[in-house]
């Protein structure tokens, strides 16, 4: 059993102190040497050394010392030494320290008195404490508050001992008198705390007697008052009306800690709109007044909880919550936007969007390091608002398009995705968006943004002028053709006139040169018997972004350019009756396609064009040379129809998620409903009436009804010993966030008394025992409930193992019963979560831990296997259902979950059906920490065969 002590000291066991050296130092007169010796003695005792021979030396040479440091170390020494024998009786030599403690309690120095009184709070031996009680009571009236406050705590600890009520019969009455006359805030708080813990009724009576002066009390006392109110109202909800008035009066206290506790107490005790609104206003005030980021995050968590249960009230405070965006911390800004986006309504959408627009504009002028990330969050928030409320799209879309050329690529991608969705869902904005996009296209510098913008141009340029402007914009951004020049042209006239005997060949080459005005020009240079390699033609400095991106070897973008031009040319044929314009546009497009293919096959780039992009460009060439109606329909209509289907599926998925989040409560048909209109309202305040209404609504909708999942509870009962063991044990395991509680039932199946029965537990993994259970004595055929608390620090599969040790009167040796291992499942820690595809790919690239599990299953259907993995791992499938439809023999899907510790778990399932019908492939798990990757891999390996 571990000894309890309030002191924790690091001790290096490599250099143990010798007891004789400590004894010699204690017997000397050198005070620093004595202090050092006492510290060594305390550290040795804390590390399981006995040092019994030192006690008499300390009594003779240390007890009389007047040095404060030595006296403090002496009290620490007395706290940790053994004071009883094996049978629990007090050791005779302990009587020697009683006189010293009595002298200290009457010492003229206030410090020595105070620390001695504090020491008595940690003593459990009644024989030592009993002779000291008169001295303790005398200190209740000492002139110094430091002594009085510690004397009150000493009285409380003595009264709470098993025999404390006999030792101090009138302690509550005495402390109540002290409380009525005490002026020191700390001493007053300790006195009220003593009544709160030991004489509950007296504490309530004192509070109700001085209810008008509660707001004048000190911060410490007010905190204890709130704790008392919470305890009283939980046991007797009918009395909460008179206490809520006290809480509301404390909302104006000068202490922010008291205000925060008041708001939390109000929310826990009352569901009346007035109370919830007062609590929410308090949280909003704290959010703005506190500079500590941790405090802001905690307050935002409380507001988030209020949003879930009292959304209607929080909607009115949305602008107050948005003021938290003034903080430069990204976590605070992200959490604030998450809360606000769920509170947006048609009434406040305009105000919210206006503020978000102002914040976006601030990010342009600011010099903050994280401006890009903050701007991306704001753009995503505006995107969400515009999708929910299309009427505000027109006010934000043009502002957002100013950031298409943003240096933060992720922000620019969010903008172009937003524009793509808005142009489809808001047909009235199509013309203005296309016009603005064509005007600002040259500013785009990211290839992914260019690709999406080109798709928009190809799909939504419908009128003849728009189509012609689209083609012209792309041509301007590509620059002059060709993309590179071959400088191997010999001078035809001179070379043809050379005689065969002449060995010297003169070659004329053309090379780009930069002129004084910054433009490019081609100059001729003659070289003899030398060939110049092909050279990229960069074009003028005013050439667009597409050319610079293509010359870096981005041929996926080249394929997108080809597809866009093909769509525009085909649409031009539909909307422009003139064949001349169509033929001209076709010729220009074909020339661009051939030039891109020529660039891709040239040696001027480090990597040639990839086969997919090459095939795509060739397909565009063939299509323009020979078009059919079916092909034209696919290119001009089917692509957009697929995009519309994708948007509808996304909206449907979001609706299903909202339905899943909604709390569904059911009331039984015969449940009692009280109609407060028919009740007597005499003596009830408006707040109490509102509370009655809310309680009736909750009762009517079944919110008070908690249907216990008995089957789930039975599944969590684990048998620890066999039925033939003399001691039977089973455990009920409860996992709650960071805590695991083992409720272990131990049954004595013998007809003998089991003595010193001890449950010894140990853990493997990131689990830690908080306390070790004590020794127990079990009567014949009786049972005992033992609780063990275990702390969890990470998402990892852990194992708890141990044994039960006991003694019987007939057998001198101790009997050991080994327990079955308890495996803590990782599924208790992770829950399904949702993230965007972009966020998933970003995390997949960043996370360093990967666990690759080969598929080995008897399941033969790809979709069935995926469903089995999702069910086994408790994860969310991010891949859209439409992408999983069909029977092609292949399946790839992304799964995502989040642990209660904030860790992300990413899973990619890639499987293929073999010729023999079996599935093969891999399941890859990635996470930031090793534990979750390994644990999930073990779980999948165990479950993937289709077992339970």
């Amino acid at each position: 059993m571990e000894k309890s002590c309030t002191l924790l000291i690091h001790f290096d066991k490599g250099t143990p102190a010798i007891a004789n050296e400590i004894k010699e130092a204690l017997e000397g007169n050198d005070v620093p040497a004595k202090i050092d010796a006492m510290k060594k003695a305390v550290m040795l005792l804390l590390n399981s050394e006995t040092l019994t021979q030192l006690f008499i030396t300390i009594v003779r040479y240390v007890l009389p010392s007047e040095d404060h440091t030595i006296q403090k170390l002496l009290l620490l020494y007395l706290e940790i030494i053994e004071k009883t024998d094996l049978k629990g009786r007090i050791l005779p030599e302990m009587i020697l320290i009683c006189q010293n403690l009595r002298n200290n309690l009457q010492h003229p120095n206030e410090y020595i008195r105070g620390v001695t009184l504090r020491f008595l709070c940690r003593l459990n031996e009644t024989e030592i404490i009993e002779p000291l009680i008169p001295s303790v009571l005398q200190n209740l009236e000492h002139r110094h508050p430091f002594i009085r406050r510690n004397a009150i705590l000493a009285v409380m600890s003595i009264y709470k001992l098993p025999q404390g009520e006999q030792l101090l019969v009138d302690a509550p009455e005495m402390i109540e008198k002290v409380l009525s006359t005490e002026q020191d805030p700390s001493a007053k708080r300790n006195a009220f705390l003593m009544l709160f813990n030991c004489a509950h009724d007296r504490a309530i009576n004192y509070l109700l007697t001085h209810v008008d002066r509660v707001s004048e009390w000190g911060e410490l006392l007010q905190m204890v008052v709130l704790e008392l109110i919470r305890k009283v109202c939980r046991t007797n909800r009918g009395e909460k009306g008179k206490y809520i008035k006290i809480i509301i009066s404390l909302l104006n206290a000068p202490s922010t800690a008291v205000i925060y506790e008041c708001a939390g107490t109000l929310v826990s005790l009352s569901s009346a709109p007035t109370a919830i609104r007062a609590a929410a206003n308090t949280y909003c005030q704290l959010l703005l007044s506190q500079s500590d980021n941790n405090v802001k995050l905690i307050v935002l968590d409380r507001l988030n909880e209020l949003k879930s249960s009292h959304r209607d009230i929080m909607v009115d405070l949305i602008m107050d919550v948005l003021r938290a965006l003034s903080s430069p911390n990204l976590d605070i800004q992200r959490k604030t936007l998450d809360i606000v986006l769920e509170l947006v309504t048609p009434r406040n959408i305009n105000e919210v969007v206006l503020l978000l627009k102002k914040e976006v504009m601030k990010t342009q002028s600011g010099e903050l390091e994280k401006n890009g990330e903050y701007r991306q969050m704001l753009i995503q928030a505006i995107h969400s608002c515009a999708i929910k409320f299309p009427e505000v799209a027109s006010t934000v879309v043009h502002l957002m398009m100013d950031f298409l050329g943003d240096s933060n690529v992720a922000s620019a991608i969010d903008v172009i995705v937003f524009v793509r969705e808005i142009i489809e869902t808001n047909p009235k904005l199509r013309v203005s968006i296309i016009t603005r996009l064509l005007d600002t296209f040259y500013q785009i510098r990211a290839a992914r943004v260019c690709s999406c913008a080109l798709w928009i141009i190809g799909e939504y340029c419908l009128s003849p002028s728009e189509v012609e402007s689209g083609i012209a914009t792309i041509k301007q951004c590509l620059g002059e053709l060709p993309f590179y020049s071959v400088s191997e042209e010999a001078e035809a006239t001179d070379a043809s006139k050379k005689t065969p005997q002449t060995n010297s060949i003169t070659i004329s080459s053309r090379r780009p040169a930069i002129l004084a005005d910054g433009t490019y020009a081609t100059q001729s240079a003659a070289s003899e018997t030398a060939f110049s390699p092909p050279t990229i033609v960069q074009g003028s400095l005013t050439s667009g972004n597409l050319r610079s991106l293509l010359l870096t070897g981005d041929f996926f973008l080249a394929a997108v350019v080809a597809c866009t031009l093909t769509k525009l040319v085909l649409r031009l044929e539909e909307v422009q009756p003139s064949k001349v314009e169509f033929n001209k546009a076709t010729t220009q497009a074909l020339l661009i396609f051939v030039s891109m293919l020529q660039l891709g096959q040239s040696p001027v780039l480090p990597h040639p064009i990839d086969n997919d992009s090459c095939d795509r460009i060739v397909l565009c060439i063939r299509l323009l040379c020979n078009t059919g109606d079916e092909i034209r329909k696919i290119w001009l209509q089917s692509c957009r129809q697929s995009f519309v289907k994708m948007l509808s599926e996304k909206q449907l998925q979001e609706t299903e998620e909202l339905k899943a989040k909604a709390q569904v409560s059911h009331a039984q048909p015969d449940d009692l409903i009280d109609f407060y209109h028919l009740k007597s309202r005499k003596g009830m305040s408006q707040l109490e009436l509102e509370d009655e209404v809310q309680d009736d609504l909750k009762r009517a909708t079944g919110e008070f009804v908690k249907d216990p999942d008995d089957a789930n509870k039975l599944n969590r009962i684990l048998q620890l010993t066999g039925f033939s063991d003399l001691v039977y044990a089973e455990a009920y395991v409860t996992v709650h966030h960071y805590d695991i509680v083992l409720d272990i039932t131990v049954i004595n199946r013998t007809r003998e008394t089991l003595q010193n029965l001890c449950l010894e537990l140990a853990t493997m993994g990131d689990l830690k025992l908080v306390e070790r259970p004590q020794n127990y004595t079990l009567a014949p055929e009786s049972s005992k409930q033992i609780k063990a608390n275990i702390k969890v620090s990470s998402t990892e599969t852990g194992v708890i193992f141990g044994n039960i040790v006991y003694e019987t009167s007939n057998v001198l040796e101790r009997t050991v019963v080994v327990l079955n291992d308890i495996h803590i499942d990782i599924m208790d820690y992770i829950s399904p979560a949702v993230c965007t595809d972009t966020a998933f790919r970003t995390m997949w690239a960043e996370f360093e831990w990967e666990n690759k599990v080969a598929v080995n299953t008897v399941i033969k259907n790809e979709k069935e296997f995926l469903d089995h993995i999702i069910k086994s791992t408790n994860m969310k499938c991010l891949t859209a259902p439409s992408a999983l439809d069909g029977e092609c023999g292949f399946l790839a899907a992304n799964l995502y979950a989040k642990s209660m510790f904030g860790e992300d778990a990413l899973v990619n399932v890639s499987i293929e059906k073999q010729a023999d019908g079996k599935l093969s492939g891999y399941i890859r798990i990635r996470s930031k920490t090793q534990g979750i990757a390994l644990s999930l891999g073990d779980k999948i390996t165990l479950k993937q065969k289709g077992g339970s």
Side-chain angles (χ1 to χ4, degrees):
M1 297 299 296
E2 291 183 348
K3 300 175 185 177
S4 61
C5 179
T6 57
L7 181 69
L8 294 175
I9 303 175
H10 170 72
F11 178 65
D12 187 2
K13 288 188 176 181
T15 58
I18 301 173
N20 292 334
E21 295 178 0
I22 296 175
K23 186 176 179 181
E24 290 178 5
L26 293 175
E27 291 174 352
N29 295 322
D30 188 2
V31 173
K34 276 190 178 184
I35 292 173
D36 188 53
M38 283 298 295
K39 288 181 179 179
K40 290 179 180 178
V42 168
M43 286 190 285
L44 286 171
L45 286 168
L46 287 173
N47 285 274
S48 304
E49 299 290 339
T50 53
L51 303 180
T52 52
Q53 67 276 21
L54 283 182
F55 182 77
I56 299 300
T57 304
I58 288 174
V59 170
R60 290 181 60 189
Y61 296 101
V62 179
L63 282 183
S65 176
E66 294 290 333
D67 185 80
H68 290 182
T69 306
I70 292 178
Q71 286 296 322
K72 188 173 182 178
L73 291 169
L74 172 64
L75 293 176
L76 289 172
Y77 170 80
L78 295 177
E79 181 184 346
I80 58 178
I81 61 172
E82 291 288 350
K83 304 175 189 67
T84 57
D85 56 16
L86 295 176
K87 295 183 179 180
R89 293 175 297 191
I90 196 75
L91 294 173
E93 56 266 29
M94 289 297 112
I95 304 300
L96 297 173
I97 68 170
C98 286
Q99 183 60 41
N100 175 261
L101 292 175
R102 186 185 293 110
N103 294 338
N104 283 354
L105 291 174
Q106 299 170 357
H107 200 279
N109 185 275
E110 290 87 356
Y111 176 77
I112 291 179
R113 281 200 191 200
V115 294
T116 306
L117 287 166
R118 191 180 298 170
F119 165 71
L120 293 182
C121 297
R122 300 189 286 270
L123 277 185
N124 298 320
E125 290 74 25
T126 308
E127 293 86 347
I128 299 176
I129 290 175
E130 188 173 4
L132 305 175
I133 289 177
S135 301
V136 173
L137 296 179
Q138 287 177 4
N139 284 309
L140 288 174
E141 300 176 357
H142 194 275
R143 60 180 178 79
H144 203 286
F146 175 70
I147 296 175
R148 293 199 304 272
R149 71 179 71 136
N150 284 293
I152 294 169
L153 291 178
V155 169
M156 181 175 70
S157 61
I158 294 171
Y159 191 79
K160 290 169 72 174
L161 291 175
Q163 301 176 5
E165 295 186 17
Q166 288 79 26
L167 295 175
L168 288 169
V169 180
D170 56 346
E173 183 180 353
M174 203 181 319
I175 295 299
E176 190 174 8
K177 290 180 181 178
V178 171
L179 180 59
S180 60
T181 58
E182 183 60 61
Q183 299 299 321
D184 180 66
S186 296
K188 203 167 186 175
R189 175 257 183 195
N190 291 350
F192 191 82
L193 184 64
M194 189 272 176
L195 294 180
F196 170 49
N197 289 314
C198 305
H200 201 255
D201 294 336
R202 289 180 181 270
I204 294 173
N205 183 52
Y206 180 82
L207 175 61
L208 296 179
T209 305
H210 300 82
V211 67
D212 297 331
R213 301 183 60 189
V214 172
S215 57
E216 301 173 6
W217 291 350
E219 173 187 351
L220 298 175
L221 183 54
Q222 288 174 345
M223 296 288 279
V224 181
V225 167
L226 290 172
E227 190 177 349
L228 173 67
I229 291 174
R230 281 196 294 268
K231 185 175 180 181
V232 172
C233 293
R234 286 195 187 105
T235 54
N236 189 0
R237 295 186 64 87
E239 296 185 2
K240 64 181 179 181
K242 53 187 174 184
Y243 294 109
I244 286 179
K245 296 175 185 176
I246 300 175
I247 300 172
I248 291 178
S249 68
L250 288 177
L251 284 175
N252 299 319
S255 168
T256 52
V258 173
I259 293 173
Y260 175 80
E261 287 297 326
C262 279
T265 307
L266 263 182
V267 173
S268 64
L269 298 182
S270 174
S271 54
T274 304
I276 300 301
R277 191 172 289 107
N281 280 322
T282 301
Y283 285 140
C284 290
Q285 290 172 12
L286 290 173
L287 193 61
L288 299 175
S289 62
Q290 297 302 302
S291 57
D292 191 330
N293 288 338
N294 293 318
V295 174
K296 287 179 181 285
L297 289 171
I298 292 170
V299 172
L300 285 170
D301 285 336
R302 301 290 83 78
L303 288 171
N304 193 33
E305 292 170 3
L306 282 182
K307 177 207 67 182
S308 304
S309 53
H310 304 279
R311 184 179 182 275
D312 294 339
I313 295 172
M314 287 298 299
V315 164
D316 297 333
L317 301 173
I318 188 170
M319 299 310 294
D320 293 328
V321 177
L322 271 172
R323 291 166 69 184
L325 291 177
S326 58
S327 170
N329 184 276
L330 281 178
D331 293 327
I332 294 173
Q333 293 166 340
R334 184 179 295 108
K335 191 165 285 191
T336 301
L337 289 173
D338 290 341
I339 294 172
V340 165
L341 288 179
E342 295 188 30
L343 298 176
V344 176
T345 63
R347 280 190 309 166
N348 57 32
I349 180 64
N350 292 325
E351 292 179 290
V352 172
V353 170
L354 182 61
L355 191 143
L356 294 178
K357 285 168 60 178
K358 289 180 180 178
E359 290 294 318
V360 170
M361 295 172 71
K362 285 181 186 177
T363 61
Q364 288 180 286
S365 57
E367 299 296 331
L368 295 177
E369 182 182 353
K370 301 290 181 84
N371 261 351
E373 295 178 50
Y374 180 40
R375 187 186 305 126
Q376 184 182 356
M377 287 192 293
L378 290 171
I379 289 169
Q380 291 172 351
I382 294 174
H383 183 180
S384 177
C385 292
I387 297 305
K388 289 181 182 177
F389 304 95
E391 63 271 13
V392 302
S394 59
T395 63
V396 295
V397 66
H398 297 296
L399 173 66
M400 294 296 99
M401 292 179 73
D402 289 338
F403 298 98
L404 286 174
D406 197 347
S407 57
N408 184 358
V409 178
S411 177
I413 291 173
D414 288 334
V415 171
I416 197 65
V417 170
F418 166 62
V419 172
R420 184 182 66 180
E421 193 165 348
I422 291 299
I423 200 172
E424 174 58 39
T425 55
N426 291 265
K428 294 179 180 178
L429 301 177
R430 185 192 64 81
V431 175
S432 62
I433 290 177
I434 284 294
T435 305
R436 184 67 181 275
L437 182 60
L438 292 175
D439 290 342
T440 58
F441 185 80
Y442 71 94
Q443 298 176 356
I444 302 175
R445 291 290 175 263
R448 290 180 61 188
V449 181
C450 276
S451 300
C452 191
L454 286 169
W455 184 89
I456 295 172
I457 292 171
E459 290 293 331
Y460 295 97
C461 285
L462 303 180
S463 66
S465 60
E466 291 172 350
V467 173
E468 291 173 358
S469 298
I471 295 173
T473 299
I474 295 174
K475 284 177 57 183
Q476 182 182 0
C477 292
L478 286 173
E480 297 179 0
L481 300 179
F483 293 107
Y484 80 102
S485 64
V486 181
S487 40
E488 298 170 341
E489 300 172 357
E491 294 182 358
T493 55
D494 294 340
S496 59
K497 294 178 182 178
K498 292 282 182 182
T499 59
Q501 289 82 13
T502 305
N503 295 326
S504 176
I505 302 175
T506 302
I507 303 298
S508 175
S509 64
R510 294 178 179 177
R511 300 180 183 179
I514 301 177
L515 301 181
D517 61 352
T519 59
Y520 284 83
T522 303
Q523 67 178 7
S524 297
S527 62
E528 194 167 348
T529 64
F531 290 88
S532 300
T535 307
I536 291 176
V537 178
Q538 299 288 352
S540 68
L541 293 178
T542 58
S543 294
N545 44 359
L546 291 179
R547 187 183 191 91
S548 58
L549 290 171
L550 291 180
L551 294 180
T552 60
D554 191 343
F555 289 105
F556 174 78
L557 180 61
V560 175
V561 171
C563 293
T564 302
L565 283 174
T566 302
K567 290 179 184 178
L568 291 174
V569 172
L570 291 177
R571 187 164 285 117
L572 183 64
E573 186 180 10
E574 288 185 351
V575 300
Q576 178 63 265
S578 173
K579 284 290 182 182
V580 176
E581 293 293 334
F582 170 71
N583 292 335
K584 180 181 177 183
T586 303
T587 306
Q588 292 173 344
L590 290 173
L591 181 60
I592 292 172
F593 298 165
V594 172
S595 298
M596 290 191 294
L597 288 174
Q598 187 184 24
L599 176 66
Q601 294 169 357
S602 68
V604 296
L605 295 179
H607 303 289
I609 186 171
D610 58 284
N611 292 331
D612 290 339
S613 300
C614 181
D615 292 344
R616 193 74 171 166
I617 297 173
V618 170
L619 176 64
C620 293
I621 294 174
R622 290 176 178 172
L623 182 60
L624 289 183
C625 293
N626 185 15
T627 60
D629 292 338
E630 288 299 322
I631 299 296
R632 186 188 304 277
K633 183 179 179 182
I634 292 172
W635 277 72
L636 296 183
Q637 297 179 18
S638 299
C639 187
R640 187 169 172 183
Q641 290 170 359
S642 300
F643 177 60
V644 173
K645 185 180 178 182
M646 185 191 80
L647 290 181
S648 61
E649 287 180 353
K650 178 183 174 184
Q651 189 174 4
L652 181 63
Q653 186 177 0
E654 290 176 353
T655 306
E656 290 176 353
E657 289 174 3
L658 290 175
K659 288 181 180 178
K661 287 182 181 179
Q663 297 179 353
V664 181
S665 302
H666 301 284
Q668 297 300 322
D670 56 350
D671 281 352
L672 178 66
I673 300 177
D674 292 327
F675 293 93
Y676 88 102
H677 296 86
L678 306 179
K679 286 184 180 179
S680 173
R681 304 189 190 181
K682 189 175 181 180
M684 294 180 70
S685 65
Q686 181 63 29
L687 189 63
E688 291 174 272
L689 289 173
E690 290 180 9
D691 227 2
E692 288 285 340
V693 176
Q694 294 300 319
D695 288 349
D696 290 344
L697 286 174
K698 288 182 179 179
R699 197 174 289 109
T701 56
E703 195 169 328
F704 281 157
V705 180
K706 299 293 182 183
D707 188 18
D709 193 353
D710 295 329
N712 192 32
K713 286 186 176 180
L714 290 174
N715 291 336
R716 291 185 177 275
I717 295 178
L718 304 174
Q719 183 181 342
L720 300 182
T721 61
F723 291 116
S724 60
D725 289 320
L726 299 179
V727 175
Y728 175 78
E730 64 182 18
Y732 174 64
V733 183
T734 304
V735 179
H736 182 69
H737 295 298
Y738 295 88
D739 299 310
I740 298 175
V741 180
L742 300 181
D743 196 348
I744 301 170
T745 303
V746 180
I747 302 174
N748 179 7
R749 303 177 64 196
T750 68
R751 296 186 177 180
E752 299 179 355
T753 300
L754 303 183
Q755 300 175 351
N756 294 328
L757 184 143
C758 179
L759 176 69
E760 298 177 348
L761 295 176
T763 60
M764 187 172 66
D766 284 342
L767 306 176
K768 183 180 179 182
L769 284 168
V770 177
E771 56 186 3
R772 296 190 181 183
Q774 301 176 357
N775 287 350
Y776 301 97
T777 299
L778 249 66
E781 299 181 348
S782 65
S783 64
K784 183 72 177 176
Q785 297 289 123
I786 303 174
K787 283 195 175 184
N789 294 317
I790 296 169
K791 286 287 182 185
V792 188
S793 57
S794 71
T795 310
E796 185 177 349
T797 299
V799 181
I800 304 170
F801 53 93
N803 48 55
I804 293 176
V805 184
Y806 62 89
E807 299 174 355
T808 58
S809 56
N810 299 332
V811 182
L812 297 178
E813 295 182 357
R814 306 187 77 188
T815 306
V816 179
V817 179
V818 179
L819 305 178
N820 286 336
D821 295 345
I822 300 174
H823 293 267
I824 304 301
D825 197 352
I826 187 177
M827 295 301 103
D828 294 324
Y829 304 130
I830 67 173
S831 57
V834 179
C835 72
T836 62
D837 290 339
T838 306
F840 186 92
R841 292 191 188 98
T842 304
M843 289 188 286
W844 187 269
E846 290 176 354
F847 290 172
E848 55 186 2
W849 291 104
E850 177 175 306
N851 191 1
K852 193 174 183 181
V853 179
V855 173
N856 181 18
T857 181
V858 295
I859 301 174
K860 294 188 176 180
N861 182 272
E862 305 97 315
K863 188 71 170 63
E864 183 182 344
F865 177 73
L866 176 64
D867 293 338
H868 177 69
I869 293 297
I870 292 172
K871 183 180 178 182
S872 302
T873 56
N874 195 27
M875 302 188 81
K876 172 76 174 177
C877 181
L878 299 181
T879 306
S882 59
L884 302 174
D885 290 341
E887 298 290 337
C888 62
F890 297 91
L891 186 144
N894 293 330
L895 313 181
Y896 179 65
K898 208 171 183 68
S899 76
M900 63 178 64
F901 308 104
E903 299 167 320
D904 300 290
L906 312 178
V907 173
N908 174 262
V909 181
S910 300
I911 49 180
E912 175 188 3
K913 181 176 281 190
Q914 302 292 333
D916 57 0
K918 292 183 179 180
L919 298 180
S920 66
Y922 291 97
I923 302 170
R924 292 195 293 166
I925 306 142
R926 286 197 183 183
S927 67
K928 213 168 191 176
T929 56
Q930 182 183 19
I932 192 169
L934 293 177
S935 300
L936 260 181
D938 294 341
K939 186 75 176 178
I940 291 173
T941 303
L942 180 67
K943 295 281 188 178
Q944 68 167 321
K945 291 190 177 182
S948 58

